[in-house]
């Protein structure tokens, strides 16, 4: 991925990456004995899961930034203040854990 992003930057584009880390999060939760919970394929993020998720996403973010920098491509992390939560379906999903994200930039 880093080489593809570096190429895009080399041709004058400024890619913005919004990434996840689901598999990495699942492995870490499993190692901690926490079983991920899903409803209709959507992860339920309780307080414990959120604490782990923040760490995992930050680690993956730094890995990508480092890989880009090692290729000579300037990269910076934007790790907060970008998204705001809202309900996926307030009528059927009144549980605050079932929220989507939307860009507020």
């Amino acid at each position: 991925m880093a080489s593809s992003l570096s190429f895009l930057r080399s041709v004058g584009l400024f890619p913005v990456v919004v990434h996840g880390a689901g598999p990495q999060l699942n492995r870490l939760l499993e190692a901690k004995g926490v079983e991920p919970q899903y409803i209709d394929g959507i992860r339920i993020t309780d307080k414990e899961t959120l604490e782990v998720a923040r760490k995992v996403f930050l680690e993956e973010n730094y890995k990508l930034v480092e890989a880009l920098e090692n290729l000579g491509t300037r990269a910076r992390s934007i790790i907060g203040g970008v998204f705001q939560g809202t309900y996926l379906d307030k009528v059927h999903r009144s549980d605050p854990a079932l929220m989507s994200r939307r860009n507020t930039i």
Side-chain angles (χ1 to χ4, degrees):
M1 177 190 290
S3 61
S4 295
L5 293 168
S6 289
F7 169 76
L8 292 173
R9 182 63 196 104
S10 74
V11 297
L13 299 174
F14 294 88
V16 174
V17 177
V18 179
H19 64 83
Q24 297 90 333
L25 176 57
N26 286 344
R27 282 193 296 273
L28 192 53
L29 288 172
E30 185 178 311
K32 290 179 165 280
V34 177
E35 185 173 335
Q37 302 208 6
Y38 297 88
I39 294 178
D40 296 333
I42 298 169
R43 182 190 303 274
I44 305 304
T45 306
D46 59 17
K47 185 176 180 177
E48 182 179 10
T49 301
L50 183 58
E51 289 174 11
V52 175
R54 285 184 173 145
K55 291 176 186 175
V56 170
F57 294 149
L58 188 59
E59 288 172 10
E60 293 304 312
N61 184 281
Y62 287 152
K63 287 179 188 176
L64 179 56
V65 168
E66 182 179 24
L68 288 163
E69 293 280 341
N70 287 339
L71 291 171
T73 300
R74 186 172 173 210
R76 297 294 175 261
S77 296
I78 301 172
I79 58 171
V82 179
F83 295 101
Q84 176 181 339
T86 185
Y87 289 99
L88 286 172
D89 180 344
K90 197 166 188 171
V91 173
H92 297 101
R93 300 174 189 266
S94 59
D95 184 343
L98 297 172
M99 299 179 81
S100 68
R101 293 187 186 108
R102 63 185 162 107
N103 197 332
T104 58
I105 292 179

